[in-house]
Amino acid sequence: MLIVQKYGGTSVGSIERIQEVAARVAATHDAGHQVAVVLSAMSGETNRLLALARQIVEQPDARESDVLVSTGEQVSIALLAMVLKERGSPAVSLLGHQVRIETDTAYGRARIRQVQTTRLSNALKDGNIVVIAGFQGVNAQQDITTLGRGGSDTTSVAIAAALQADVCEIYTDVDGVYSADPRICPQAHKLERISYDEMLELASLGAKVLQIRSVEFAKRYQVPVHVRSSFSPDEGTWLVPEDQSMEEVTVSGVTSDLDQAKITLMRVPDRPGLAAKLFAPIAQDNIVVDMILQNASVDEKTDVTFTVPRGDVHKALEQVKNVAPEIGAEDVVYDTEVVKVSIVGLGMRSHAGVASRMFEVLAAEGINIQMISTSEIKISIVIAAKYAELAVRVLHDAFISSA
């Protein structure tokens, strides 16, 4: 079998843990498998490097930041390759540009365009364990780029897809995907299997187990992904194509996303072209807009509310305040004390009354809903941040624990 393994920052957070990873990797290789390993930087290293940059300048240049933070993965892959060689296992470490992981030019959040496999395939055929730097690539100008937080997940699945690997094993500090965050909801249980679509929704809605783009890659190329603990030999959670039995479960997971901020333009003239003028400059700034709500027009005026990642709220506000006079908005307000809570499940396609039940449960706890968004397999709401944990627990109790 050809196996791609990915280990996150806590898995390689110390020399002792790197040695433990080496033992697991070597055992897989000794069992007769071809192994490619993708590593994150050691735990806390990326934050340390960014802190150094901010000691120099308040807003570090994006290109130079990528040059800086990509060194974290260079350290971890070199250390693992050294340990493997010391153990007698053939190994070679490769940076993103050496593999040739080609990306676009969006520094700090680059997207993978292509993975060249010639060097990788040759190294594997020669019997090597190939240790690859996650999180990084190279653009057409030969500049180093990084893929954003959690980018090593994306690297590993992209490598697995390009190599047509039999499985991509993602090792983390948790032992799988849970029906809710166990730290918030003690009744949460580990899922044996989850569909790509369900995981895609959960990842986009705040679940931190997998980065959303890694799930997109897995779905597009039908890569079997096994999420498991680097500290335990137990089975984790498998990401697989959906089957009919999955639709029998109405709700598979409940999640919350605290990384939310809400911006509202008050009393905007209700006329064609308003949305285009408002959201075009925000998109040009690479800010992801999530939920959008436009109230019914009163006196030909309307309020427009939308959410963005909390870290982008001030950058988005600059663009909004610039365009507000042009579109005739009377005021701009924002709120960072909000949270998005969501329920996800393939069974929602065929079970009626899920939304009404959700709203009843929240109303019974006195939780006011500020915004609502739906798809075939999820319902998301925006509520005050102080109710985040309560909402997750009561929804899990209503839809999963009592199922």
Side-chain angles (χ1 to χ4, degrees), residues 15-192:
I15 296 301
E16 293 73 24
R17 288 189 172 175
I18 289 173
Q19 290 171 332
E20 291 169 3
V21 167
R24 187 184 289 248
V25 170
T28 306
H29 185 259
D30 292 345
H33 304 300
Q34 292 183 311
V35 186
V37 185
V38 176
L39 297 186
S40 300
M42 297 175 73
S43 181
E45 182 64 7
T46 301
N47 287 339
R48 185 187 74 84
L49 293 168
L50 288 171
L52 285 176
R54 294 191 185 102
Q55 291 178 36
I56 302 293
V57 288
E58 186 175 343
Q59 289 292 332
D61 178 81
R63 179 189 181 278
E64 305 309 328
S65 287
D66 277 6
V67 173
L68 176 66
V69 298
S70 64
T71 62
E73 283 70 25
Q74 183 167 347
V75 171
S76 58
I77 64 170
L79 291 173
L80 180 61
M82 289 176 188
V83 175
L84 287 168
K85 289 178 179 180
E86 182 68 18
R87 293 176 58 95
S89 298
V92 58
S93 64
L94 296 176
L95 298 170
H97 71 274
Q98 293 174 310
V99 174
R100 191 102 193 137
I101 300 171
E102 297 178 6
T103 75
D104 61 18
T105 57
Y107 298 109
R109 57 181 73 183
R111 300 186 73 87
I112 295 174
R113 288 180 169 170
Q114 177 179 290
V115 177
Q116 294 190 11
T117 59
T118 303
R119 187 169 184 180
L120 272 176
S121 297
N122 288 339
L124 289 167
K125 287 175 184 175
D126 289 339
N128 289 294
I129 299 169
V130 186
V131 187
I132 303 161
F135 178 63
Q136 62 180 247
V138 61
N139 64 23
Q141 289 73 45
Q142 309 305 312
D143 291 336
I144 294 171
T145 57
T146 65
L147 310 181
R149 292 288 185 175
S152 294
D153 287 350
T154 305
T155 303
S156 62
V157 179
I159 293 288
L163 291 173
Q164 297 183 323
D166 295 285
V167 63
C168 178
E169 298 179 335
I170 296 186
Y171 290 89
T172 71
D173 53 0
V174 297
D175 60 351
V177 180
Y178 277 72
S179 55
D181 187 337
R183 295 169 297 183
I184 296 173
C185 184
Q187 292 80 23
H189 64 271
K190 184 171 68 177
L191 305 173
E192 292 182 4

Side-chain angles (χ1 to χ4, degrees), residues 271-287:
R271 60 173 182 257
L274 176 149
K277 288 182 180 178
L278 172 60
F279 292 112
I282 295 173
Q284 290 170 2
D285 236 0
N286 286 319
I287 298 171

Side-chain angles (χ1 to χ4, degrees), residues 189-245:
H189 64 271
K190 184 171 68 177
L191 305 173
E192 292 182 4
R193 299 183 310 148
I194 187 169
S195 72
Y196 295 123
D197 284 338
E198 287 174 310
M199 191 66 237
L200 196 59
E201 291 284 11
L202 288 172
S204 69
L205 297 169
K208 304 300 183 184
V209 179
L210 287 176
Q211 203 248 19
I212 184 170
R213 281 189 285 168
S214 69
V215 185
E216 290 173 345
F217 262 104
K219 179 184 176 182
R220 186 182 311 155
Y221 298 104
Q222 297 289 287
V223 177
V225 176
H226 190 191
V227 181
R228 57 195 308 191
S229 171
S230 55
F231 310 117
S232 167
D234 296 341
E235 284 275 310
T237 301
W238 283 89
L239 270 68
V240 294
E242 68 178 81
D243 59 44
Q244 189 170 358
S245 66

